[in-house]
Amino acid sequence: MVLSILGILGGSTGLAAIATVVVQRGKFKADAADTLTEAALTLVQPLQTRITQLEGEALNARSELNVLREQVNQLQFLVRILNRTLDRWRAAIRAPDATLRKVRATVAETDRSTEGR
């Protein structure tokens, strides 16, 4: 039976051909894996570059946001001060005993208190 199989395969030439196919098949798989790896790296490299750029932009945006938050806080503080000043002036103007001299004194007092800032 073994001789029949050998005869069918063509003797040693057939065995050599089978061995070559088995070896080549492994090489084809390795070549395919290399090709796929190269293609993946080719696709991933620009993405990683873009991610690095976006991370830098995000860092800059966070920094700018912190500066803007600080400016907003300062402006809110200033608005509170101006609202209090306006409330004092309104109270001085609407007071039942309001005179031009008293209103001017209130405004002058505000001017003196803001000079120290």
Side-chain angles (χ1 to χ4, degrees):
M1 181 152 153
V2 173
L3 291 176
S4 299
I5 293 174
L6 285 177
I8 292 172
L9 294 176
S12 62
T13 310
L15 288 176
I18 291 174
T20 303
V21 168
V22 169
V23 170
Q24 289 293 334
R25 185 172 178 211
K27 184 180 179 217
F28 290 144
K29 284 183 180 180
D31 289 345
D34 287 344
T35 301
L36 289 174
T37 301
E38 287 177 28
L41 289 175
T42 302
L43 294 173
V44 167
Q45 187 63 30
L47 292 175
Q48 285 191 321
T49 301
R50 184 64 179 141
I51 287 170
T52 302
Q53 290 172 344
L54 291 173
E55 286 173 343
E57 290 175 16
L59 188 62
N60 288 338
R62 284 187 200 105
S63 177
E64 287 179 26
L65 180 62
N66 288 334
V67 169
L68 292 173
R69 280 185 180 152
E70 181 61 32
Q71 289 176 350
V72 166
N73 288 338
Q74 291 172 359
L75 290 172
Q76 287 173 335
F77 177 73
L78 183 59
V79 166
R80 284 192 298 273
I81 290 172
L82 291 174
N83 277 331
R84 278 188 238 131
T85 301
L86 184 58
D87 290 342
R88 277 195 306 267
W89 289 1
R90 281 187 184 140
I93 292 169
R94 293 180 179 161
D97 60 342
T99 64
L100 186 55
R101 181 173 287 137
K102 287 182 181 179
V103 172
R104 285 182 179 165
T106 302
V107 172
E109 181 183 315
T110 302
D111 288 342
R112 281 191 298 274
S113 68
T114 57
E115 285 177 1
R117 290 189 190 150

